[in-house]
Short mmCIF file of all heavy atoms in Angstrom, two decimals:
data_model
loop_
_atom_site.label_atom_id
_atom_site.label_comp_id
_atom_site.label_asym_id
_atom_site.label_seq_id
_atom_site.Cartn_x
_atom_site.Cartn_y
_atom_site.Cartn_z
N TYR A 103 2.53 -15.66 1.80
CA TYR A 103 3.66 -15.41 0.90
C TYR A 103 4.86 -16.30 1.23
O TYR A 103 5.62 -16.70 0.36
CB TYR A 103 4.06 -13.94 0.96
CG TYR A 103 3.04 -13.03 0.32
CD1 TYR A 103 2.15 -12.29 1.08
CD2 TYR A 103 2.96 -12.94 -1.06
CE1 TYR A 103 1.21 -11.47 0.49
CE2 TYR A 103 2.02 -12.12 -1.67
CZ TYR A 103 1.15 -11.39 -0.89
OH TYR A 103 0.23 -10.58 -1.48
N GLY A 104 5.04 -16.58 2.51
CA GLY A 104 6.21 -17.38 2.88
C GLY A 104 6.12 -18.81 2.42
O GLY A 104 7.11 -19.50 2.28
N VAL A 105 4.88 -19.30 2.22
CA VAL A 105 4.69 -20.69 1.80
C VAL A 105 3.71 -20.70 0.63
O VAL A 105 2.69 -21.36 0.64
CB VAL A 105 4.15 -21.56 2.97
CG1 VAL A 105 5.24 -21.82 3.98
CG2 VAL A 105 2.96 -20.89 3.66
N LEU A 106 4.02 -19.93 -0.39
CA LEU A 106 3.13 -19.78 -1.54
C LEU A 106 2.89 -21.12 -2.21
O LEU A 106 3.84 -21.83 -2.56
CB LEU A 106 3.75 -18.79 -2.55
CG LEU A 106 2.85 -18.32 -3.69
CD1 LEU A 106 1.68 -17.53 -3.13
CD2 LEU A 106 3.64 -17.48 -4.67
N ARG A 107 1.63 -21.49 -2.36
CA ARG A 107 1.28 -22.77 -2.94
C ARG A 107 0.90 -22.60 -4.39
O ARG A 107 0.61 -21.50 -4.87
CB ARG A 107 0.11 -23.39 -2.17
CG ARG A 107 0.37 -23.58 -0.68
CD ARG A 107 -0.75 -24.44 -0.08
NE ARG A 107 -2.06 -23.89 -0.35
CZ ARG A 107 -2.69 -23.06 0.48
NH1 ARG A 107 -2.10 -22.66 1.61
NH2 ARG A 107 -3.90 -22.61 0.18
N ALA A 108 0.83 -23.73 -5.11
CA ALA A 108 0.50 -23.68 -6.53
C ALA A 108 -0.91 -23.15 -6.76
O ALA A 108 -1.21 -22.58 -7.80
CB ALA A 108 0.65 -25.07 -7.14
N ASP A 109 -1.80 -23.36 -5.76
CA ASP A 109 -3.18 -22.89 -5.91
C ASP A 109 -3.37 -21.46 -5.43
O ASP A 109 -4.49 -20.99 -5.31
CB ASP A 109 -4.15 -23.82 -5.16
CG ASP A 109 -3.86 -23.85 -3.66
OD1 ASP A 109 -2.76 -23.41 -3.27
OD2 ASP A 109 -4.74 -24.31 -2.91
N GLN A 110 -2.27 -20.77 -5.14
CA GLN A 110 -2.32 -19.36 -4.72
C GLN A 110 -1.57 -18.50 -5.73
O GLN A 110 -0.40 -18.21 -5.55
CB GLN A 110 -1.71 -19.18 -3.34
CG GLN A 110 -2.55 -19.76 -2.23
CD GLN A 110 -1.91 -19.51 -0.88
OE1 GLN A 110 -0.69 -19.60 -0.75
NE2 GLN A 110 -2.71 -19.22 0.12
N PRO A 111 -2.22 -18.15 -6.83
CA PRO A 111 -1.54 -17.29 -7.82
C PRO A 111 -1.23 -15.95 -7.22
O PRO A 111 -1.93 -15.47 -6.33
CB PRO A 111 -2.56 -17.19 -8.96
CG PRO A 111 -3.88 -17.42 -8.29
CD PRO A 111 -3.62 -18.42 -7.20
N PRO A 112 -0.19 -15.29 -7.70
CA PRO A 112 0.17 -13.98 -7.14
C PRO A 112 -0.88 -12.93 -7.46
O PRO A 112 -1.67 -13.06 -8.39
CB PRO A 112 1.51 -13.67 -7.83
CG PRO A 112 1.48 -14.46 -9.09
CD PRO A 112 0.72 -15.71 -8.77
N LEU A 113 -0.87 -11.88 -6.66
CA LEU A 113 -1.77 -10.76 -6.89
C LEU A 113 -1.46 -10.10 -8.23
O LEU A 113 -0.30 -9.87 -8.56
CB LEU A 113 -1.58 -9.73 -5.76
CG LEU A 113 -2.42 -8.46 -5.83
CD1 LEU A 113 -3.86 -8.76 -5.43
CD2 LEU A 113 -1.83 -7.40 -4.90
N ILE A 114 -2.50 -9.83 -9.02
CA ILE A 114 -2.32 -9.18 -10.31
C ILE A 114 -2.47 -7.67 -10.13
O ILE A 114 -3.55 -7.16 -9.84
CB ILE A 114 -3.34 -9.70 -11.34
CG1 ILE A 114 -3.20 -11.21 -11.52
CG2 ILE A 114 -3.15 -8.99 -12.67
CD1 ILE A 114 -1.83 -11.67 -12.00
N ALA A 115 -1.38 -6.98 -10.25
CA ALA A 115 -1.35 -5.51 -10.20
C ALA A 115 0.03 -5.08 -10.68
O ALA A 115 1.01 -5.80 -10.46
CB ALA A 115 -1.61 -5.01 -8.77
N ASP A 116 0.11 -3.94 -11.35
CA ASP A 116 1.41 -3.50 -11.83
C ASP A 116 2.02 -2.47 -10.88
O ASP A 116 1.41 -2.08 -9.88
CB ASP A 116 1.35 -2.98 -13.26
CG ASP A 116 0.45 -1.77 -13.43
OD1 ASP A 116 0.29 -1.01 -12.44
OD2 ASP A 116 -0.07 -1.57 -14.54
N ASP A 117 3.22 -2.05 -11.21
CA ASP A 117 3.96 -1.15 -10.31
C ASP A 117 3.24 0.18 -10.15
O ASP A 117 3.28 0.79 -9.07
CB ASP A 117 5.37 -0.93 -10.87
CG ASP A 117 6.25 -0.18 -9.90
OD1 ASP A 117 6.36 -0.63 -8.74
OD2 ASP A 117 6.81 0.86 -10.28
N ALA A 118 2.59 0.67 -11.20
CA ALA A 118 1.87 1.93 -11.09
C ALA A 118 0.72 1.81 -10.10
O ALA A 118 0.48 2.72 -9.29
CB ALA A 118 1.34 2.36 -12.47
N ASP A 119 0.00 0.68 -10.13
CA ASP A 119 -1.09 0.47 -9.16
C ASP A 119 -0.57 0.51 -7.74
O ASP A 119 -1.09 1.21 -6.87
CB ASP A 119 -1.76 -0.89 -9.41
CG ASP A 119 -2.34 -1.03 -10.80
OD1 ASP A 119 -2.81 -0.02 -11.34
OD2 ASP A 119 -2.32 -2.16 -11.33
N VAL A 120 0.50 -0.25 -7.50
CA VAL A 120 1.07 -0.33 -6.15
C VAL A 120 1.61 1.02 -5.71
O VAL A 120 1.42 1.45 -4.56
CB VAL A 120 2.18 -1.40 -6.10
CG1 VAL A 120 2.91 -1.36 -4.76
CG2 VAL A 120 1.58 -2.79 -6.32
N SER A 121 2.28 1.73 -6.62
CA SER A 121 2.90 3.00 -6.26
C SER A 121 1.86 4.05 -5.88
O SER A 121 2.09 4.87 -4.98
CB SER A 121 3.77 3.52 -7.41
OG SER A 121 4.85 2.64 -7.66
N VAL A 122 0.70 4.04 -6.56
CA VAL A 122 -0.35 5.00 -6.22
C VAL A 122 -0.84 4.75 -4.80
O VAL A 122 -0.95 5.68 -3.98
CB VAL A 122 -1.51 4.92 -7.22
CG1 VAL A 122 -2.71 5.73 -6.72
CG2 VAL A 122 -1.07 5.44 -8.58
N ILE A 123 -1.15 3.50 -4.47
CA ILE A 123 -1.64 3.18 -3.13
C ILE A 123 -0.55 3.42 -2.10
O ILE A 123 -0.82 3.94 -1.01
CB ILE A 123 -2.15 1.73 -3.07
CG1 ILE A 123 -3.23 1.49 -4.14
CG2 ILE A 123 -2.70 1.42 -1.69
CD1 ILE A 123 -4.42 2.44 -4.05
N ALA A 124 0.70 3.09 -2.44
CA ALA A 124 1.81 3.34 -1.51
C ALA A 124 1.96 4.84 -1.25
O ALA A 124 2.24 5.26 -0.12
CB ALA A 124 3.11 2.77 -2.08
N GLY A 125 1.78 5.66 -2.29
CA GLY A 125 1.88 7.10 -2.10
C GLY A 125 0.83 7.62 -1.14
O GLY A 125 1.11 8.44 -0.27
N HIS A 126 -0.40 7.13 -1.30
CA HIS A 126 -1.47 7.55 -0.39
C HIS A 126 -1.21 7.04 1.03
O HIS A 126 -1.47 7.75 2.01
CB HIS A 126 -2.81 7.05 -0.89
CG HIS A 126 -3.31 7.77 -2.12
ND1 HIS A 126 -3.57 9.11 -2.13
CD2 HIS A 126 -3.57 7.33 -3.37
CE1 HIS A 126 -3.99 9.47 -3.34
NE2 HIS A 126 -3.99 8.41 -4.10
N LEU A 127 -0.70 5.82 1.14
CA LEU A 127 -0.40 5.27 2.47
C LEU A 127 0.72 6.07 3.14
O LEU A 127 0.65 6.37 4.34
CB LEU A 127 0.00 3.80 2.34
CG LEU A 127 0.23 3.02 3.64
CD1 LEU A 127 -1.02 3.04 4.51
CD2 LEU A 127 0.66 1.59 3.34
N ALA A 128 1.74 6.44 2.37
CA ALA A 128 2.83 7.25 2.91
C ALA A 128 2.33 8.62 3.34
O ALA A 128 2.73 9.14 4.40
CB ALA A 128 3.95 7.39 1.88
N ARG A 129 1.44 9.23 2.56
CA ARG A 129 0.89 10.54 2.93
C ARG A 129 0.11 10.44 4.25
O ARG A 129 0.19 11.31 5.11
CB ARG A 129 -0.05 11.05 1.84
CG ARG A 129 0.64 11.52 0.58
CD ARG A 129 1.49 12.76 0.78
NE ARG A 129 0.78 13.79 1.50
CZ ARG A 129 1.22 14.38 2.60
NH1 ARG A 129 2.39 14.03 3.11
NH2 ARG A 129 0.53 15.32 3.20
N LEU A 130 -0.66 9.36 4.40
CA LEU A 130 -1.43 9.17 5.62
C LEU A 130 -0.48 8.97 6.81
O LEU A 130 -0.72 9.50 7.91
CB LEU A 130 -2.35 7.96 5.46
CG LEU A 130 -3.61 7.89 6.32
CD1 LEU A 130 -4.48 9.12 6.12
CD2 LEU A 130 -4.40 6.63 6.00
N ALA A 131 0.61 8.23 6.60
CA ALA A 131 1.59 8.01 7.67
C ALA A 131 2.28 9.32 8.05
O ALA A 131 2.46 9.63 9.23
CB ALA A 131 2.62 6.98 7.22
N ILE A 132 2.68 10.11 7.05
CA ILE A 132 3.35 11.39 7.33
C ILE A 132 2.43 12.33 8.10
O ILE A 132 2.84 12.97 9.07
CB ILE A 132 3.81 12.04 6.00
CG1 ILE A 132 4.94 11.21 5.37
CG2 ILE A 132 4.27 13.48 6.22
CD1 ILE A 132 5.26 11.61 3.94
N ASP A 133 1.18 12.40 7.68
CA ASP A 133 0.21 13.26 8.36
C ASP A 133 0.04 12.83 9.81
O ASP A 133 -0.07 13.67 10.71
CB ASP A 133 -1.13 13.19 7.62
CG ASP A 133 -2.16 14.14 8.18
OD1 ASP A 133 -2.14 15.32 7.79
OD2 ASP A 133 -2.97 13.70 9.01
N THR A 134 0.06 11.52 10.06
CA THR A 134 -0.08 11.01 11.42
C THR A 134 1.15 11.33 12.26
O THR A 134 1.03 11.73 13.42
CB THR A 134 -0.31 9.48 11.37
OG1 THR A 134 -1.44 9.18 10.55
CG2 THR A 134 -0.53 8.92 12.77
N LEU A 135 2.33 11.20 11.68
CA LEU A 135 3.57 11.43 12.42
C LEU A 135 3.78 12.91 12.73
O LEU A 135 4.37 13.26 13.75
CB LEU A 135 4.76 10.89 11.62
CG LEU A 135 4.87 9.37 11.54
CD1 LEU A 135 5.86 8.97 10.46
CD2 LEU A 135 5.29 8.79 12.88
N ARG A 136 3.32 13.78 11.87
CA ARG A 136 3.50 15.22 12.10
C ARG A 136 2.74 15.69 13.34
O ARG A 136 3.19 16.59 14.05
CB ARG A 136 2.99 16.01 10.90
CG ARG A 136 3.90 16.00 9.69
CD ARG A 136 3.19 16.73 8.57
NE ARG A 136 4.02 16.90 7.38
CZ ARG A 136 3.57 17.42 6.24
NH1 ARG A 136 2.31 17.80 6.15
NH2 ARG A 136 4.36 17.56 5.21
N GLY A 137 1.59 15.07 13.59
CA GLY A 137 0.77 15.51 14.71
C GLY A 137 0.05 16.80 14.38
O GLY A 137 0.12 17.33 13.26
N GLY A 138 -0.66 17.35 15.35
CA GLY A 138 -1.40 18.57 15.12
C GLY A 138 -2.63 18.31 14.27
O GLY A 138 -3.15 17.20 14.20
N GLY A 139 -3.09 19.33 13.57
CA GLY A 139 -4.26 19.19 12.73
C GLY A 139 -3.99 18.34 11.51
O GLY A 139 -2.91 18.39 10.91
N SER A 140 -4.96 17.53 11.13
CA SER A 140 -4.80 16.64 9.99
C SER A 140 -5.27 17.28 8.70
O SER A 140 -6.21 18.09 8.68
CB SER A 140 -5.57 15.35 10.23
OG SER A 140 -5.55 14.52 9.08
N GLN A 141 -4.62 16.91 7.60
CA GLN A 141 -5.04 17.37 6.28
C GLN A 141 -6.16 16.51 5.72
O GLN A 141 -6.76 16.84 4.71
CB GLN A 141 -3.86 17.34 5.31
CG GLN A 141 -2.74 18.31 5.66
CD GLN A 141 -1.59 18.24 4.67
OE1 GLN A 141 -1.39 17.22 4.02
NE2 GLN A 141 -0.85 19.33 4.56
N PHE A 142 -6.43 15.37 6.37
CA PHE A 142 -7.39 14.41 5.84
C PHE A 142 -8.70 14.49 6.61
O PHE A 142 -8.74 14.26 7.82
CB PHE A 142 -6.82 12.99 5.93
CG PHE A 142 -5.63 12.76 5.05
CD1 PHE A 142 -4.34 12.97 5.53
CD2 PHE A 142 -5.78 12.34 3.75
CE1 PHE A 142 -3.24 12.78 4.73
CE2 PHE A 142 -4.68 12.14 2.94
CZ PHE A 142 -3.41 12.36 3.42
#
């Protein structure tokens, strides 16, 4: 990303796609930080 070249088109995904995966990643992080028994 820091040296994006002409032959490296950006990733095709919209905000809804990213937000869904980010939500799951945040849930996994929260579950890890809480400690104790996992919900996953």
Side-chain angles (χ1 to χ4, degrees):
Y103 289 102
V105 286
L106 190 64
R107 303 191 305 268
D109 62 344
Q110 289 182 321
L113 179 75
I114 301 301
D116 62 27
D117 188 54
D119 301 326
V120 172
S121 296
V122 169
I123 304 303
H126 288 299
L127 185 59
R129 288 293 312 126
L130 205 57
I132 292 169
D133 185 84
T134 304
L135 289 166
R136 284 175 175 175
S140 174
Q141 295 179 335
F142 294 91

